[in-house]
Amino acid sequence: MMRMGVDLGGTKIEIVALAEDGAEIFRKRISTPKNYPGTIEAIVSLVADAESATGQIGSVGVGIPGVVSPFTGLVKNSNSTWINGHPLDKDLSEVLHREVRVANDANCFAVSEAVDGAAAGKGVVFGGIIGTGCGAGIAINGRVHGGGNGIGGEWGHNPLPWMTADEFNTTSCFCGNRDCIETFISGTGFVRDFRAVGGEATSGIQIAEIMQQGDPLATAAFERYIDRLARSLAHVINMMDPDMIVLGGGVSNIDAIYTELPKVLPKYVVGRECGTQVVKNKFGASSGVRGAAWLWGKDQT
């Protein structure tokens, strides 16, 4: 069975079609209309293009930067604000004449990596995204764990664990709270911290490059970053003890994370032992759209 995944972003909508074995057989990207009717029309058009090009009819999953509320059935918390307050899954299902599954894009990332990515075959997978912001998704046996409130994996909007005195009450988050994990370990937070001590950089990757040149400010900033990331992930391990943690987003491309983080994690994990593997994603920017396709898993047809 062909599976189609749609990644609905603020600037582009992308579709990918996967064969039964996960091989990609079609991909197309278009600009995102900034209104709800136009967005519905664009997704329907992409599905038609995929089916025309492949000669097959398939299932449809959609990843969004928000969630469908289990209470109202309406999209909420999306930064593509024009889809908020609408029953996106139901409207697409009606037009496409089939059930359409919609999930948060971070959950799609986790599903992609759990089904045939870096964590293929693992039972419980935590997918942490450390980019401009900081999000996460949870996949259990290759399926999304959205939770009863639809917010499973909202890791970035918990307080930074084991805050030091100089960290407490120092950052504000768009969610309305202070000292969220996101404000410290996102790429944005990494850069903010580096600049606060006199460094100059525009991305986490650039800080890592400066560190490799022997810069002491960058080295110290990276050490602080690793400690904060270790605290944040230890909190997850202490609560759910996933079989594997997969990292995505721009900061996840810093290779030193994967050598230095395991040295610090046991300091914060209960029992002071930690064998949890933390790995880089396999599919990069394609994980979200592939995960949307895998919302229809091999045993979920």
Side-chain angles (χ1 to χ4, degrees):
M1 185 186 78
M2 181 174 73
R3 295 172 173 85
M4 290 174 283
V6 177
D7 182 15
L8 171 55
T11 59
K12 55 86 179 174
I13 304 176
E14 185 172 33
I15 190 169
V16 65
L18 304 180
E20 178 68 21
D21 62 357
E24 182 181 315
I25 55 178
F26 180 82
R27 181 186 291 258
K28 185 176 181 180
R29 176 184 294 189
I30 62 175
S31 297
T32 304
K34 305 297 183 180
N35 62 83
Y36 186 69
T39 297
I40 294 290
E41 183 178 340
I43 293 172
V44 171
S45 175
L46 284 171
V47 170
D49 289 345
E51 293 185 334
S52 175
T54 62
Q56 301 179 58
I57 295 174
S59 59
V60 180
V62 181
I64 63 172
V67 298
V68 176
S69 167
F71 305 107
T72 66
L74 307 178
V75 175
K76 65 178 182 178
N77 301 337
S78 175
N79 56 19
S80 298
T81 55
W82 54 92
I83 67 173
N84 285 330
H86 292 281
L88 181 65
D89 52 349
K90 291 183 175 60
D91 287 343
L92 285 171
S93 295
E94 183 176 345
V95 178
L96 290 170
H97 307 294
R98 73 199 83 173
E99 181 186 351
V100 174
R101 295 178 178 171
V102 175
N104 176 262
D105 48 13
N107 281 324
C108 290
F109 167 78
V111 167
S112 172
E113 295 297 330
V115 172
D116 61 352
K122 299 295 184 181
V124 179
V125 176
F126 183 83
I129 300 175
I130 42 178
T132 303
C134 171
I138 301 168
I140 299 177
N141 296 325
R143 299 191 185 195
V144 169
H145 175 69
N149 296 305
I151 56 171
E154 279 291 358
W155 170 58
H157 297 290
N158 292 290
L160 181 70
W162 299 288
M163 262 184 279
T164 61
D166 61 342
E167 291 169 338
F168 181 71
N169 206 26
T170 58
T171 69
S172 298
C173 186
F174 77 89
C175 73
N177 291 318
R178 299 181 68 84
D179 301 330
C180 286
I181 287 171
E182 174 166 309
T183 65
F184 289 96
I185 69 165
S186 63
T188 305
F190 191 10
V191 169
R192 174 192 57 78
D193 179 71
F194 183 51
R195 287 178 172 173
V197 296
E200 289 293 332
T202 58
S203 70
I205 294 291
Q206 189 177 7
I207 297 172
E209 291 170 349
I210 297 170
M211 177 182 69
Q212 290 172 351
Q213 297 166 12
D215 183 88
L217 288 180
T219 299
F222 182 71
E223 289 173 352
R224 288 192 298 276
Y225 181 84
I226 286 293
D227 188 74
R228 289 163 176 166
L229 181 59
R231 282 183 262 161
S232 302
L233 290 176
H235 212 213
V236 172
I237 294 167
N238 288 343
M239 288 189 293
M240 59 182 293
D241 204 8
D243 296 310
M244 183 172 280
I245 294 172
V246 184
L247 298 181
V251 182
S252 73
N253 293 314
I254 299 175
D255 290 336
I257 287 175
Y258 305 99
T259 57
E260 299 307 309
L261 185 63
K263 301 174 185 177
V264 185
L265 267 175
K267 178 180 176 181
Y268 298 108
V269 172
V270 172
R272 300 296 187 266
E273 295 178 320
C274 182
T276 306
Q277 283 186 278
V278 181
V279 301
K280 187 188 298 186
N281 63 84
K282 178 179 179 179
F283 290 112
S286 294
S287 269
V289 71
R290 288 181 62 89
W294 283 118
L295 292 176
W296 293 87
K298 294 180 178 180
D299 60 344
Q300 302 175 66
T301 55

CSV table of all heavy atoms in Angstrom, one decimal, residues 79 104-107 109 126-137 151-161 173-175 179-190 225 228-229 231-233 236 245-252:
chain,number,residue,atom,x,y,z
A,79,ASN,N,1.7,27.6,14.8
A,79,ASN,CA,2.2,28.9,14.4
A,79,ASN,C,1.8,29.2,12.9
A,79,ASN,O,2.0,30.4,12.5
A,79,ASN,CB,3.7,29.0,14.6
A,79,ASN,CG,4.5,27.9,13.9
A,79,ASN,OD1,4.0,27.2,12.9
A,79,ASN,ND2,5.7,27.6,14.3
A,104,ASN,N,1.1,16.2,15.4
A,104,ASN,CA,2.1,17.2,15.6
A,104,ASN,C,3.4,16.8,14.8
A,104,ASN,O,3.7,15.6,14.8
A,104,ASN,CB,2.4,17.4,17.1
A,104,ASN,CG,3.5,18.3,17.3
A,104,ASN,OD1,4.7,17.9,17.5
A,104,ASN,ND2,3.2,19.6,17.3
A,105,ASP,N,4.0,17.8,14.2
A,105,ASP,CA,5.2,17.5,13.4
A,105,ASP,C,6.4,16.8,14.2
A,105,ASP,O,7.1,16.0,13.7
A,105,ASP,CB,5.7,18.7,12.6
A,105,ASP,CG,5.8,20.0,13.5
A,105,ASP,OD1,5.8,19.9,14.7
A,105,ASP,OD2,6.0,21.0,12.9
A,106,ALA,N,6.5,17.2,15.5
A,106,ALA,CA,7.5,16.6,16.3
A,106,ALA,C,7.2,15.1,16.5
A,106,ALA,O,8.1,14.2,16.6
A,106,ALA,CB,7.7,17.3,17.6
A,107,ASN,N,5.9,14.8,16.7
A,107,ASN,CA,5.5,13.4,16.8
A,107,ASN,C,5.8,12.6,15.5
A,107,ASN,O,6.2,11.4,15.6
A,107,ASN,CB,4.1,13.3,17.2
A,107,ASN,CG,3.8,13.5,18.7
A,107,ASN,OD1,4.7,13.1,19.5
A,107,ASN,ND2,2.7,14.1,19.1
A,109,PHE,N,8.2,13.3,13.5
A,109,PHE,CA,9.6,13.0,13.5
A,109,PHE,C,10.0,11.8,14.3
A,109,PHE,O,10.8,10.9,13.9
A,109,PHE,CB,10.3,14.3,14.1
A,109,PHE,CG,11.8,14.0,14.5
A,109,PHE,CD1,12.8,14.1,13.5
A,109,PHE,CD2,12.1,13.8,15.8
A,109,PHE,CE1,14.1,13.8,13.9
A,109,PHE,CE2,13.5,13.6,16.2
A,109,PHE,CZ,14.5,13.6,15.2
A,126,PHE,N,12.1,8.5,22.1
A,126,PHE,CA,11.9,10.0,22.4
A,126,PHE,C,12.6,10.7,21.3
A,126,PHE,O,13.8,10.6,21.2
A,126,PHE,CB,12.4,10.3,23.7
A,126,PHE,CG,12.1,11.8,24.2
A,126,PHE,CD1,10.9,12.2,24.7
A,126,PHE,CD2,13.1,12.7,24.0
A,126,PHE,CE1,10.7,13.5,25.1
A,126,PHE,CE2,12.9,14.0,24.4
A,126,PHE,CZ,11.7,14.4,24.9
A,127,GLY,N,11.9,11.5,20.5
A,127,GLY,CA,12.5,12.3,19.5
A,127,GLY,C,12.6,13.8,19.9
A,127,GLY,O,11.6,14.5,19.9
A,128,GLY,N,13.8,14.3,20.2
A,128,GLY,CA,13.9,15.7,20.6
A,128,GLY,C,14.4,16.5,19.5
A,128,GLY,O,15.4,16.1,18.8
A,129,ILE,N,13.8,17.7,19.3
A,129,ILE,CA,14.2,18.6,18.2
A,129,ILE,C,14.8,19.8,18.8
A,129,ILE,O,14.1,20.5,19.6
A,129,ILE,CB,13.0,18.9,17.3
A,129,ILE,CG1,12.4,17.6,16.7
A,129,ILE,CG2,13.4,19.9,16.2
A,129,ILE,CD1,11.1,17.9,15.9
A,130,ILE,N,16.1,20.1,18.5
A,130,ILE,CA,16.8,21.2,19.0
A,130,ILE,C,17.2,22.1,17.8
A,130,ILE,O,18.3,21.9,17.3
A,130,ILE,CB,18.0,20.8,19.9
A,130,ILE,CG1,18.7,19.6,19.3
A,130,ILE,CG2,17.5,20.4,21.3
A,130,ILE,CD1,20.0,19.2,20.1
A,131,GLY,N,16.3,23.0,17.5
A,131,GLY,CA,16.6,23.9,16.4
A,131,GLY,C,16.4,25.3,16.8
A,131,GLY,O,16.8,25.7,17.9
A,132,THR,N,15.6,26.1,16.0
A,132,THR,CA,15.3,27.4,16.4
A,132,THR,C,14.5,27.4,17.7
A,132,THR,O,14.8,28.2,18.6
A,132,THR,CB,14.5,28.1,15.3
A,132,THR,OG1,15.2,28.1,14.1
A,132,THR,CG2,14.2,29.6,15.7
A,133,GLY,N,13.6,26.4,17.9
A,133,GLY,CA,12.9,26.2,19.1
A,133,GLY,C,13.3,24.8,19.7
A,133,GLY,O,14.4,24.3,19.3
A,134,CYS,N,12.5,24.3,20.5
A,134,CYS,CA,12.8,23.0,21.1
A,134,CYS,C,11.5,22.2,21.3
A,134,CYS,O,10.7,22.7,22.1
A,134,CYS,CB,13.6,23.2,22.4
A,134,CYS,SG,13.8,21.7,23.4
A,135,GLY,N,11.4,21.1,20.7
A,135,GLY,CA,10.2,20.3,20.8
A,135,GLY,C,10.5,18.9,20.9
A,135,GLY,O,11.7,18.5,20.9
A,136,ALA,N,9.5,18.0,21.0
A,136,ALA,CA,9.8,16.6,21.1
A,136,ALA,C,8.5,15.8,20.7
A,136,ALA,O,7.4,16.3,20.8
A,136,ALA,CB,10.3,16.2,22.5
A,137,GLY,N,8.7,14.6,20.4
A,137,GLY,CA,7.6,13.7,20.1
A,137,GLY,C,8.0,12.3,20.7
A,137,GLY,O,9.1,12.0,21.0
A,151,ILE,N,-0.8,16.6,24.1
A,151,ILE,CA,0.4,17.4,24.3
A,151,ILE,C,1.6,16.5,24.7
A,151,ILE,O,2.6,17.0,25.2
A,151,ILE,CB,0.3,18.5,25.3
A,151,ILE,CG1,-0.2,18.0,26.6
A,151,ILE,CG2,-0.7,19.6,24.7
A,151,ILE,CD1,-0.1,19.1,27.7
A,152,GLY,N,1.5,15.2,24.4
A,152,GLY,CA,2.6,14.3,24.7
A,152,GLY,C,3.9,14.7,24.0
A,152,GLY,O,3.9,15.0,22.8
A,153,GLY,N,5.0,14.8,24.8
A,153,GLY,CA,6.2,15.3,24.2
A,153,GLY,C,6.5,16.8,24.3
A,153,GLY,O,7.5,17.2,23.8
A,154,GLU,N,5.7,17.5,25.0
A,154,GLU,CA,5.9,19.0,25.1
A,154,GLU,C,7.0,19.2,26.1
A,154,GLU,O,6.9,19.9,27.2
A,154,GLU,CB,4.6,19.7,25.5
A,154,GLU,CG,3.7,20.0,24.4
A,154,GLU,CD,4.3,21.0,23.4
A,154,GLU,OE1,5.4,21.6,23.6
A,154,GLU,OE2,3.6,21.3,22.4
A,155,TRP,N,8.2,18.7,25.8
A,155,TRP,CA,9.4,18.7,26.7
A,155,TRP,C,9.9,20.1,26.8
A,155,TRP,O,10.3,20.5,27.9
A,155,TRP,CB,10.4,17.8,26.0
A,155,TRP,CG,11.8,17.7,26.5
A,155,TRP,CD1,12.2,17.4,27.7
A,155,TRP,CD2,12.9,17.9,25.6
A,155,TRP,NE1,13.6,17.4,27.7
A,155,TRP,CE2,14.0,17.7,26.5
A,155,TRP,CE3,13.1,18.2,24.3
A,155,TRP,CZ2,15.3,17.8,26.0
A,155,TRP,CZ3,14.4,18.3,23.8
A,155,TRP,CH2,15.5,18.1,24.7
A,156,GLY,N,9.9,20.9,25.8
A,156,GLY,CA,10.6,22.2,25.8
A,156,GLY,C,9.9,23.2,26.7
A,156,GLY,O,10.5,24.2,27.0
A,157,HIS,N,8.7,22.9,27.1
A,157,HIS,CA,8.0,23.9,27.9
A,157,HIS,C,7.8,23.4,29.3
A,157,HIS,O,6.8,23.8,30.0
A,157,HIS,CB,6.7,24.3,27.2
A,157,HIS,CG,6.9,24.9,25.9
A,157,HIS,ND1,7.5,26.2,25.8
A,157,HIS,CD2,6.8,24.5,24.6
A,157,HIS,CE1,7.6,26.5,24.5
A,157,HIS,NE2,7.2,25.5,23.8
A,158,ASN,N,8.8,22.7,29.8
A,158,ASN,CA,8.9,22.4,31.2
A,158,ASN,C,10.1,23.2,31.7
A,158,ASN,O,11.0,23.6,30.9
A,158,ASN,CB,9.2,20.9,31.4
A,158,ASN,CG,8.0,20.1,31.1
A,158,ASN,OD1,7.0,20.1,31.8
A,158,ASN,ND2,8.0,19.3,30.0
A,159,PRO,N,10.2,23.5,33.0
A,159,PRO,CA,11.4,24.2,33.5
A,159,PRO,C,12.7,23.5,33.3
A,159,PRO,O,12.7,22.2,33.4
A,159,PRO,CB,11.1,24.5,35.0
A,159,PRO,CG,9.6,24.1,35.1
A,159,PRO,CD,9.3,23.2,34.1
A,160,LEU,N,13.8,24.2,33.0
A,160,LEU,CA,15.1,23.6,33.0
A,160,LEU,C,15.3,22.9,34.3
A,160,LEU,O,15.2,23.5,35.4
A,160,LEU,CB,16.2,24.6,32.8
A,160,LEU,CG,17.6,24.1,32.7
A,160,LEU,CD1,17.8,23.3,31.4
A,160,LEU,CD2,18.6,25.3,32.8
A,161,PRO,N,15.6,21.6,34.3
A,161,PRO,CA,15.8,20.9,35.6
A,161,PRO,C,17.1,21.3,36.3
A,161,PRO,O,18.1,21.7,35.7
A,161,PRO,CB,15.9,19.4,35.2
A,161,PRO,CG,15.3,19.3,33.8
A,161,PRO,CD,15.7,20.7,33.2
A,173,CYS,N,9.8,32.8,27.9
A,173,CYS,CA,9.4,32.0,26.8
A,173,CYS,C,8.1,32.5,26.2
A,173,CYS,O,7.2,33.0,26.9
A,173,CYS,CB,9.2,30.5,27.3
A,173,CYS,SG,8.9,29.3,25.9
A,174,PHE,N,7.9,32.2,24.9
A,174,PHE,CA,6.7,32.7,24.2
A,174,PHE,C,5.5,32.0,24.8
A,174,PHE,O,4.4,32.5,24.6
A,174,PHE,CB,6.8,32.4,22.7
A,174,PHE,CG,6.6,31.0,22.3
A,174,PHE,CD1,5.3,30.5,22.0
A,174,PHE,CD2,7.6,30.1,22.2
A,174,PHE,CE1,5.1,29.2,21.7
A,174,PHE,CE2,7.4,28.7,21.9
A,174,PHE,CZ,6.2,28.3,21.6
A,175,CYS,N,5.6,30.9,25.5
A,175,CYS,CA,4.5,30.2,26.0
A,175,CYS,C,3.9,30.9,27.2
A,175,CYS,O,2.8,30.5,27.7
A,175,CYS,CB,4.8,28.7,26.4
A,175,CYS,SG,5.9,28.6,27.9
A,179,ASP,N,12.1,30.4,32.1
A,179,ASP,CA,13.1,29.4,32.3
A,179,ASP,C,12.7,28.1,31.7
A,179,ASP,O,13.1,27.0,32.2
A,179,ASP,CB,13.4,29.3,33.8
A,179,ASP,CG,13.9,30.6,34.4
A,179,ASP,OD1,14.5,31.4,33.7
A,179,ASP,OD2,13.7,30.8,35.6
A,180,CYS,N,12.0,28.1,30.6
A,180,CYS,CA,11.7,26.8,29.9
A,180,CYS,C,12.9,26.2,29.3
A,180,CYS,O,13.9,26.9,29.0
A,180,CYS,CB,10.7,27.1,28.8
A,180,CYS,SG,9.0,27.4,29.3
A,181,ILE,N,12.9,24.9,29.2
A,181,ILE,CA,14.0,24.2,28.6
A,181,ILE,C,14.3,24.8,27.2
A,181,ILE,O,15.5,25.0,26.9
A,181,ILE,CB,13.7,22.7,28.5
A,181,ILE,CG1,13.7,22.0,29.8
A,181,ILE,CG2,14.6,22.0,27.4
A,181,ILE,CD1,13.2,20.6,29.8
A,182,GLU,N,13.3,25.1,26.5
A,182,GLU,CA,13.5,25.7,25.1
A,182,GLU,C,14.4,26.9,25.1
A,182,GLU,O,15.2,27.1,24.2
A,182,GLU,CB,12.2,26.0,24.5
A,182,GLU,CG,12.3,26.8,23.2
A,182,GLU,CD,11.0,26.8,22.4
A,182,GLU,OE1,10.4,25.8,22.2
A,182,GLU,OE2,10.7,27.9,21.9
A,183,THR,N,14.3,27.7,26.2
A,183,THR,CA,15.0,29.0,26.2
A,183,THR,C,16.5,28.8,26.5
A,183,THR,O,17.3,29.7,26.3
A,183,THR,CB,14.5,30.0,27.2
A,183,THR,OG1,14.6,29.4,28.5
A,183,THR,CG2,13.0,30.2,27.0
A,184,PHE,N,16.9,27.5,26.9
A,184,PHE,CA,18.3,27.2,27.1
A,184,PHE,C,18.9,26.3,26.1
A,184,PHE,O,20.1,26.5,25.7
A,184,PHE,CB,18.4,26.6,28.5
A,184,PHE,CG,18.2,27.5,29.7
A,184,PHE,CD1,16.9,27.6,30.3
A,184,PHE,CD2,19.2,28.3,30.2
A,184,PHE,CE1,16.7,28.4,31.4
A,184,PHE,CE2,19.0,29.2,31.2
A,184,PHE,CZ,17.7,29.2,31.8
A,185,ILE,N,18.2,25.3,25.6
A,185,ILE,CA,18.9,24.3,24.8
A,185,ILE,C,18.5,24.4,23.3
A,185,ILE,O,19.0,23.6,22.5
A,185,ILE,CB,18.7,22.9,25.3
A,185,ILE,CG1,17.3,22.4,25.2
A,185,ILE,CG2,19.2,22.8,26.8
A,185,ILE,CD1,17.2,20.9,25.4
A,186,SER,N,17.6,25.3,22.9
A,186,SER,CA,17.4,25.5,21.5
A,186,SER,C,18.6,26.1,20.9
A,186,SER,O,19.5,26.7,21.6
A,186,SER,CB,16.1,26.4,21.3
A,186,SER,OG,16.4,27.7,21.9
A,187,GLY,N,18.7,26.2,19.6
A,187,GLY,CA,19.8,26.9,18.9
A,187,GLY,C,19.7,28.4,19.3
A,187,GLY,O,20.8,29.0,19.6
A,188,THR,N,18.5,28.9,19.4
A,188,THR,CA,18.4,30.3,19.8
A,188,THR,C,18.9,30.5,21.2
A,188,THR,O,19.6,31.5,21.5
A,188,THR,CB,16.9,30.7,19.8
A,188,THR,OG1,16.4,30.4,18.5
A,188,THR,CG2,16.7,32.2,20.1
A,189,GLY,N,18.6,29.6,22.2
A,189,GLY,CA,19.1,29.7,23.5
A,189,GLY,C,20.6,29.6,23.6
A,189,GLY,O,21.3,30.3,24.4
A,190,PHE,N,21.2,28.7,22.8
A,190,PHE,CA,22.6,28.5,22.8
A,190,PHE,C,23.3,29.7,22.3
A,190,PHE,O,24.3,30.2,23.0
A,190,PHE,CB,22.9,27.3,21.8
A,190,PHE,CG,24.3,26.8,21.8
A,190,PHE,CD1,25.2,27.1,22.8
A,190,PHE,CD2,24.7,25.8,20.8
A,190,PHE,CE1,26.5,26.6,22.8
A,190,PHE,CE2,26.0,25.3,20.8
A,190,PHE,CZ,26.9,25.7,21.8
A,225,TYR,N,26.1,24.2,27.6
A,225,TYR,CA,25.0,23.7,26.8
A,225,TYR,C,24.9,22.2,27.0
A,225,TYR,O,23.8,21.7,27.2
A,225,TYR,CB,25.3,23.9,25.3
A,225,TYR,CG,24.2,23.4,24.4
A,225,TYR,CD1,23.1,24.2,24.2
A,225,TYR,CD2,24.3,22.2,23.8
A,225,TYR,CE1,22.0,23.7,23.4
A,225,TYR,CE2,23.2,21.7,23.1
A,225,TYR,CZ,22.1,22.4,22.9
A,225,TYR,OH,21.0,22.0,22.1
A,228,ARG,N,23.3,21.5,30.3
A,228,ARG,CA,21.8,21.8,30.3
A,228,ARG,C,21.1,20.7,29.5
A,228,ARG,O,20.0,20.3,29.9
A,228,ARG,CB,21.6,23.2,29.8
A,228,ARG,CG,22.1,24.3,30.7
A,228,ARG,CD,22.2,25.6,30.1
A,228,ARG,NE,22.6,26.6,31.1
A,228,ARG,CZ,23.0,27.8,30.7
A,228,ARG,NH1,23.2,28.2,29.5
A,228,ARG,NH2,23.3,28.7,31.7
A,229,LEU,N,21.6,20.3,28.4
A,229,LEU,CA,21.0,19.3,27.6
A,229,LEU,C,20.9,18.0,28.4
A,229,LEU,O,19.9,17.2,28.3
A,229,LEU,CB,21.8,19.1,26.3
A,229,LEU,CG,21.2,18.0,25.3
A,229,LEU,CD1,19.8,18.4,24.9
A,229,LEU,CD2,22.1,17.9,24.1
A,231,ARG,N,20.8,17.6,31.6
A,231,ARG,CA,19.8,17.7,32.7
A,231,ARG,C,18.4,17.5,32.1
A,231,ARG,O,17.5,16.9,32.6
A,231,ARG,CB,19.9,19.1,33.3
A,231,ARG,CG,21.0,19.2,34.3
A,231,ARG,CD,20.9,20.6,35.0
A,231,ARG,NE,21.9,21.6,34.4
A,231,ARG,CZ,21.8,22.9,34.5
A,231,ARG,NH1,20.8,23.4,35.2
A,231,ARG,NH2,22.7,23.7,34.0
A,232,SER,N,18.2,18.1,30.9
A,232,SER,CA,16.9,18.1,30.3
A,232,SER,C,16.5,16.7,29.8
A,232,SER,O,15.4,16.2,29.9
A,232,SER,CB,16.9,19.0,29.1
A,232,SER,OG,17.1,20.4,29.5
A,233,LEU,N,17.5,16.0,29.3
A,233,LEU,CA,17.3,14.6,28.8
A,233,LEU,C,17.2,13.6,30.0
A,233,LEU,O,16.5,12.6,30.0
A,233,LEU,CB,18.3,14.2,27.8
A,233,LEU,CG,18.2,14.9,26.4
A,233,LEU,CD1,19.3,14.5,25.5
A,233,LEU,CD2,16.8,14.6,25.8
A,236,VAL,N,13.8,13.3,31.2
A,236,VAL,CA,13.0,12.4,30.4
A,236,VAL,C,13.3,11.0,30.7
A,236,VAL,O,12.4,10.1,30.9
A,236,VAL,CB,13.3,12.7,28.9
A,236,VAL,CG1,12.6,11.6,28.0
A,236,VAL,CG2,12.8,14.0,28.5
A,245,ILE,N,16.9,7.7,22.4
A,245,ILE,CA,16.6,9.1,22.1
A,245,ILE,C,17.3,9.5,20.8
A,245,ILE,O,18.5,9.3,20.6
A,245,ILE,CB,17.2,10.0,23.3
A,245,ILE,CG1,16.4,9.7,24.6
A,245,ILE,CG2,17.0,11.5,22.9
A,245,ILE,CD1,17.0,10.4,25.8
A,246,VAL,N,16.5,10.1,19.9
A,246,VAL,CA,16.9,10.6,18.6
A,246,VAL,C,16.8,12.1,18.6
A,246,VAL,O,15.8,12.7,18.9
A,246,VAL,CB,16.1,10.0,17.5
A,246,VAL,CG1,16.7,10.4,16.1
A,246,VAL,CG2,16.1,8.5,17.6
A,247,LEU,N,17.9,12.8,18.2
A,247,LEU,CA,17.9,14.2,18.2
A,247,LEU,C,17.8,14.7,16.7
A,247,LEU,O,18.4,14.2,15.8
A,247,LEU,CB,19.2,14.8,18.8
A,247,LEU,CG,19.4,14.5,20.3
A,247,LEU,CD1,20.7,15.2,20.8
A,247,LEU,CD2,18.2,15.0,21.1
A,248,GLY,N,17.0,15.8,16.5
A,248,GLY,CA,16.8,16.4,15.2
A,248,GLY,C,17.0,17.9,15.4
A,248,GLY,O,17.2,18.4,16.5
A,249,GLY,N,16.8,18.7,14.3
A,249,GLY,CA,17.0,20.1,14.3
A,249,GLY,C,18.4,20.5,14.1
A,249,GLY,O,19.4,19.6,14.1
A,250,GLY,N,18.7,21.8,13.8
A,250,GLY,CA,20.0,22.2,13.4
A,250,GLY,C,21.1,21.9,14.4
A,250,GLY,O,22.2,21.5,14.0
A,251,VAL,N,20.9,22.1,15.7
A,251,VAL,CA,21.9,21.8,16.7
A,251,VAL,C,22.3,20.4,16.8
A,251,VAL,O,23.4,20.0,17.1
A,251,VAL,CB,21.4,22.4,18.1
A,251,VAL,CG1,22.5,22.2,19.1
A,251,VAL,CG2,21.1,23.8,18.0
A,252,SER,N,21.4,19.5,16.4
A,252,SER,CA,21.7,18.0,16.4
A,252,SER,C,22.8,17.7,15.5
A,252,SER,O,23.4,16.5,15.6
A,252,SER,CB,20.4,17.2,16.1
A,252,SER,OG,20.1,17.3,14.7
